[in-house]
Amino acid sequence: MKTILAAYATAPVADDWQPELQSQYLDGVKQLSSIRGIEHPFTGQLHPHDDDWFLRNIDPAWDFVFTGVPGIMGRLGKNPHFGIASDNPEGRAEGVAFYQQMRAAVHKLNAYLGRKAVDFIQLHTSPNRTGSVSSVASLVESLKEIQSWDWDGAELVIEHCDAFVEGAQPEKGFLTLEEEIQAVVEVNRACGCEIGLSINWGRSALETRSVQGPLQHLQAAREAGLLRGFMFSGISDQDTPYGVWRDTHMPPAEIFEGGNFAEGSLLTAEQMKASLEVADWSSLDFLGIKIGVRPQDLGADARVAYNRDALAALDSFTKA
């Protein structure tokens, strides 16, 4: 199985839009032969800065998994009630409208490539419960509408983010996995659709403050018959450049000598192997890597190297 790379999470950081630097980075990503495509961030239009630049610089053979997290987090900063699980009517309506914008971007990308290149849409169950109220009922109503649209071949999954846990500081604070499963089962039954779930290793570890969390979430999603995708991101319980229990997509701990990895990461070789086994990885629709890097001023080539080594680590476990 060729993997999905969330290349945007490792892209060069700059105070302003620098297309030449970003092109250099993507040119390096194109050389990574072990990927089938990329996870693409949606903020309100196909590309945050320049749709035409994006279309010129992607590999036309790539497949795509869309994620709305960057756009959602930006909107939550302005409206804490924003999201498809919101019990606030205006907030929920804005959340649904956001996915209508994403749908238009999917059609634009597919039309440019002349094929149905977008495989999956990852939905997210905002708002953050520390500042708003959300529910299964609100999510069900939103999903019923969203699944009825023409997604031009793309399938829908809810990517589970860290849920609100009493007494813990959340990064996302969205619905629990159990609530998301309940909503998806209800909508699939009522509408005859096949919405699924995807799990991010680091976000599940963050929610549970434990390396057992990802295994528990993978098992629950599998037992519900809904697990479609799995992305590896690391996290740390130590004081590292990536923070303590922060959703910064930390690279794995050292998997092989001489590689680009991150000291203090809880995502070890043992954890990757165990998670792949619980996920029954060969039956997944997509499997991938999503890492950020530190320090922030690393150059484009170094950033590609981190992705190359994380992908090599994953390949070593899935091809063993």
mmCIF file of all heavy atoms in Angstrom, residues 69-94:
data_model
loop_
_atom_site.group_PDB
_atom_site.id
_atom_site.type_symbol
_atom_site.label_atom_id
_atom_site.label_comp_id
_atom_site.label_asym_id
_atom_site.label_seq_id
_atom_site.Cartn_x
_atom_site.Cartn_y
_atom_site.Cartn_z
ATOM 1 N N VAL A 69 -9.028 20.836 8.978
ATOM 2 C CA VAL A 69 -8.576 21.307 10.284
ATOM 3 C C VAL A 69 -8.019 22.733 10.256
ATOM 4 O O VAL A 69 -8.383 23.565 11.096
ATOM 5 C CB VAL A 69 -7.567 20.329 10.914
ATOM 6 C CG1 VAL A 69 -6.816 20.978 12.057
ATOM 7 C CG2 VAL A 69 -8.293 19.099 11.432
ATOM 8 N N PRO A 70 -7.111 23.081 9.316
ATOM 9 C CA PRO A 70 -6.580 24.453 9.337
ATOM 10 C C PRO A 70 -7.672 25.514 9.200
ATOM 11 O O PRO A 70 -7.657 26.528 9.905
ATOM 12 C CB PRO A 70 -5.618 24.476 8.137
ATOM 13 C CG PRO A 70 -5.203 23.048 7.981
ATOM 14 C CD PRO A 70 -6.435 22.258 8.291
ATOM 15 N N GLY A 71 -8.619 25.279 8.318
ATOM 16 C CA GLY A 71 -9.706 26.242 8.152
ATOM 17 C C GLY A 71 -10.633 26.274 9.350
ATOM 18 O O GLY A 71 -11.114 27.339 9.757
ATOM 19 N N ILE A 72 -10.894 25.122 9.928
ATOM 20 C CA ILE A 72 -11.775 25.052 11.093
ATOM 21 C C ILE A 72 -11.173 25.791 12.281
ATOM 22 O O ILE A 72 -11.858 26.569 12.966
ATOM 23 C CB ILE A 72 -12.052 23.580 11.452
ATOM 24 C CG1 ILE A 72 -12.964 22.953 10.391
ATOM 25 C CG2 ILE A 72 -12.688 23.457 12.838
ATOM 26 C CD1 ILE A 72 -13.082 21.448 10.500
ATOM 27 N N MET A 73 -9.888 25.564 12.534
ATOM 28 C CA MET A 73 -9.254 26.206 13.679
ATOM 29 C C MET A 73 -9.220 27.724 13.513
ATOM 30 O O MET A 73 -9.383 28.471 14.489
ATOM 31 C CB MET A 73 -7.846 25.654 13.894
ATOM 32 C CG MET A 73 -7.817 24.153 14.196
ATOM 33 S SD MET A 73 -8.951 23.618 15.509
ATOM 34 C CE MET A 73 -8.151 24.377 16.937
ATOM 35 N N GLY A 74 -9.016 28.179 12.295
ATOM 36 C CA GLY A 74 -9.055 29.617 12.045
ATOM 37 C C GLY A 74 -10.421 30.207 12.318
ATOM 38 O O GLY A 74 -10.546 31.290 12.906
ATOM 39 N N ARG A 75 -11.462 29.484 11.940
ATOM 40 C CA ARG A 75 -12.821 29.978 12.156
ATOM 41 C C ARG A 75 -13.230 29.913 13.624
ATOM 42 O O ARG A 75 -13.975 30.769 14.111
ATOM 43 C CB ARG A 75 -13.786 29.195 11.265
ATOM 44 C CG ARG A 75 -13.735 29.652 9.802
ATOM 45 C CD ARG A 75 -14.310 28.622 8.850
ATOM 46 N NE ARG A 75 -14.334 29.142 7.479
ATOM 47 C CZ ARG A 75 -13.256 29.246 6.706
ATOM 48 N NH1 ARG A 75 -12.060 28.867 7.163
ATOM 49 N NH2 ARG A 75 -13.350 29.726 5.467
ATOM 50 N N LEU A 76 -12.740 28.891 14.323
ATOM 51 C CA LEU A 76 -13.039 28.810 15.749
ATOM 52 C C LEU A 76 -12.420 29.970 16.521
ATOM 53 O O LEU A 76 -12.952 30.384 17.561
ATOM 54 C CB LEU A 76 -12.526 27.481 16.319
ATOM 55 C CG LEU A 76 -13.381 26.253 16.021
ATOM 56 C CD1 LEU A 76 -12.661 24.987 16.458
ATOM 57 C CD2 LEU A 76 -14.745 26.355 16.697
ATOM 58 N N GLY A 77 -11.312 30.491 16.005
ATOM 59 C CA GLY A 77 -10.708 31.649 16.636
ATOM 60 C C GLY A 77 -11.581 32.886 16.557
ATOM 61 O O GLY A 77 -11.469 33.799 17.384
ATOM 62 N N LYS A 78 -12.470 32.912 15.569
ATOM 63 C CA LYS A 78 -13.367 34.046 15.390
ATOM 64 C C LYS A 78 -14.768 33.773 15.938
ATOM 65 O O LYS A 78 -15.472 34.689 16.355
ATOM 66 C CB LYS A 78 -13.458 34.398 13.904
ATOM 67 C CG LYS A 78 -12.111 34.779 13.289
ATOM 68 C CD LYS A 78 -12.236 34.980 11.784
ATOM 69 C CE LYS A 78 -10.894 35.321 11.152
ATOM 70 N NZ LYS A 78 -10.975 35.447 9.682
ATOM 71 N N ASN A 79 -15.165 32.508 15.894
ATOM 72 C CA ASN A 79 -16.499 32.127 16.349
ATOM 73 C C ASN A 79 -16.394 30.796 17.093
ATOM 74 O O ASN A 79 -16.300 29.738 16.467
ATOM 75 C CB ASN A 79 -17.461 31.990 15.163
ATOM 76 C CG ASN A 79 -18.843 31.513 15.598
ATOM 77 O OD1 ASN A 79 -19.130 31.399 16.785
ATOM 78 N ND2 ASN A 79 -19.703 31.227 14.627
ATOM 79 N N PRO A 80 -16.416 30.796 18.411
ATOM 80 C CA PRO A 80 -16.236 29.561 19.179
ATOM 81 C C PRO A 80 -17.363 28.551 18.992
ATOM 82 O O PRO A 80 -17.234 27.401 19.427
ATOM 83 C CB PRO A 80 -16.175 30.046 20.628
ATOM 84 C CG PRO A 80 -16.905 31.348 20.631
ATOM 85 C CD PRO A 80 -16.604 31.972 19.294
ATOM 86 N N HIS A 81 -18.455 28.949 18.344
ATOM 87 C CA HIS A 81 -19.582 28.045 18.125
ATOM 88 C C HIS A 81 -19.551 27.382 16.747
ATOM 89 O O HIS A 81 -20.457 26.635 16.397
ATOM 90 C CB HIS A 81 -20.898 28.802 18.284
ATOM 91 C CG HIS A 81 -21.022 29.523 19.591
ATOM 92 N ND1 HIS A 81 -21.035 28.874 20.804
ATOM 93 C CD2 HIS A 81 -21.114 30.857 19.878
ATOM 94 C CE1 HIS A 81 -21.139 29.754 21.783
ATOM 95 N NE2 HIS A 81 -21.174 30.961 21.248
ATOM 96 N N PHE A 82 -18.494 27.626 15.963
ATOM 97 C CA PHE A 82 -18.403 27.113 14.593
ATOM 98 C C PHE A 82 -18.233 25.598 14.584
ATOM 99 O O PHE A 82 -17.409 25.048 15.295
ATOM 100 C CB PHE A 82 -17.212 27.769 13.882
ATOM 101 C CG PHE A 82 -16.928 27.194 12.521
ATOM 102 C CD1 PHE A 82 -17.527 27.730 11.399
ATOM 103 C CD2 PHE A 82 -16.061 26.120 12.383
ATOM 104 C CE1 PHE A 82 -17.265 27.195 10.144
ATOM 105 C CE2 PHE A 82 -15.790 25.583 11.129
ATOM 106 C CZ PHE A 82 -16.397 26.121 10.015
ATOM 107 N N GLY A 83 -19.023 24.920 13.752
ATOM 108 C CA GLY A 83 -18.788 23.502 13.546
ATOM 109 C C GLY A 83 -20.036 22.697 13.274
ATOM 110 O O GLY A 83 -21.147 23.080 13.644
ATOM 111 N N ILE A 84 -19.843 21.551 12.641
ATOM 112 C CA ILE A 84 -20.987 20.729 12.232
ATOM 113 C C ILE A 84 -21.626 19.976 13.398
ATOM 114 O O ILE A 84 -22.697 19.386 13.230
ATOM 115 C CB ILE A 84 -20.595 19.736 11.118
ATOM 116 C CG1 ILE A 84 -19.462 18.808 11.570
ATOM 117 C CG2 ILE A 84 -20.217 20.488 9.850
ATOM 118 C CD1 ILE A 84 -19.160 17.689 10.567
ATOM 119 N N ALA A 85 -20.982 19.971 14.572
ATOM 120 C CA ALA A 85 -21.606 19.344 15.746
ATOM 121 C C ALA A 85 -22.171 20.381 16.707
ATOM 122 O O ALA A 85 -22.649 20.039 17.788
ATOM 123 C CB ALA A 85 -20.591 18.469 16.474
ATOM 124 N N SER A 86 -22.168 21.646 16.306
ATOM 125 C CA SER A 86 -22.564 22.728 17.201
ATOM 126 C C SER A 86 -24.065 22.735 17.454
ATOM 127 O O SER A 86 -24.876 22.562 16.541
ATOM 128 C CB SER A 86 -22.142 24.074 16.603
ATOM 129 O OG SER A 86 -22.515 25.136 17.461
ATOM 130 N N ASP A 87 -24.421 22.981 18.699
ATOM 131 C CA ASP A 87 -25.834 23.156 19.046
ATOM 132 C C ASP A 87 -26.296 24.591 18.808
ATOM 133 O O ASP A 87 -27.489 24.892 18.941
ATOM 134 C CB ASP A 87 -26.069 22.795 20.512
ATOM 135 C CG ASP A 87 -26.040 21.298 20.750
ATOM 136 O OD1 ASP A 87 -26.054 20.530 19.758
ATOM 137 O OD2 ASP A 87 -25.975 20.887 21.925
ATOM 138 N N ASN A 88 -25.367 25.464 18.463
ATOM 139 C CA ASN A 88 -25.701 26.834 18.086
ATOM 140 C C ASN A 88 -26.094 26.840 16.612
ATOM 141 O O ASN A 88 -25.279 26.474 15.759
ATOM 142 C CB ASN A 88 -24.493 27.742 18.335
ATOM 143 C CG ASN A 88 -24.722 29.161 17.887
ATOM 144 O OD1 ASN A 88 -24.596 29.468 16.709
ATOM 145 N ND2 ASN A 88 -25.046 30.035 18.822
ATOM 146 N N PRO A 89 -27.328 27.230 16.263
ATOM 147 C CA PRO A 89 -27.789 27.119 14.872
ATOM 148 C C PRO A 89 -26.899 27.859 13.869
ATOM 149 O O PRO A 89 -26.610 27.327 12.789
ATOM 150 C CB PRO A 89 -29.201 27.713 14.917
ATOM 151 C CG PRO A 89 -29.644 27.531 16.330
ATOM 152 C CD PRO A 89 -28.421 27.719 17.164
ATOM 153 N N GLU A 90 -26.494 29.065 14.216
ATOM 154 C CA GLU A 90 -25.649 29.818 13.296
ATOM 155 C C GLU A 90 -24.277 29.168 13.153
ATOM 156 O O GLU A 90 -23.718 29.092 12.058
ATOM 157 C CB GLU A 90 -25.495 31.260 13.785
ATOM 158 C CG GLU A 90 -26.756 32.107 13.701
ATOM 159 C CD GLU A 90 -27.742 31.815 14.829
ATOM 160 O OE1 GLU A 90 -27.334 31.182 15.839
ATOM 161 O OE2 GLU A 90 -28.925 32.194 14.695
ATOM 162 N N GLY A 91 -23.739 28.701 14.267
ATOM 163 C CA GLY A 91 -22.439 28.035 14.217
ATOM 164 C C GLY A 91 -22.482 26.768 13.387
ATOM 165 O O GLY A 91 -21.548 26.477 12.624
ATOM 166 N N ARG A 92 -23.558 25.996 13.528
ATOM 167 C CA ARG A 92 -23.686 24.770 12.743
ATOM 168 C C ARG A 92 -23.865 25.078 11.260
ATOM 169 O O ARG A 92 -23.286 24.421 10.394
ATOM 170 C CB ARG A 92 -24.844 23.912 13.261
ATOM 171 C CG ARG A 92 -24.861 22.512 12.634
ATOM 172 C CD ARG A 92 -25.915 21.612 13.260
ATOM 173 N NE ARG A 92 -27.259 21.953 12.798
ATOM 174 C CZ ARG A 92 -27.779 21.528 11.642
ATOM 175 N NH1 ARG A 92 -27.062 20.777 10.813
ATOM 176 N NH2 ARG A 92 -29.001 21.857 11.315
ATOM 177 N N ALA A 93 -24.661 26.108 10.964
ATOM 178 C CA ALA A 93 -24.866 26.496 9.567
ATOM 179 C C ALA A 93 -23.549 26.927 8.921
ATOM 180 O O ALA A 93 -23.272 26.598 7.758
ATOM 181 C CB ALA A 93 -25.889 27.618 9.480
ATOM 182 N N GLU A 94 -22.727 27.654 9.669
ATOM 183 C CA GLU A 94 -21.425 28.067 9.142
ATOM 184 C C GLU A 94 -20.525 26.854 8.918
ATOM 185 O O GLU A 94 -19.763 26.810 7.946
ATOM 186 C CB GLU A 94 -20.758 29.049 10.103
ATOM 187 C CG GLU A 94 -21.418 30.419 10.143
ATOM 188 C CD GLU A 94 -20.702 31.362 11.101
ATOM 189 O OE1 GLU A 94 -19.522 31.088 11.444
ATOM 190 O OE2 GLU A 94 -21.316 32.366 11.507
#
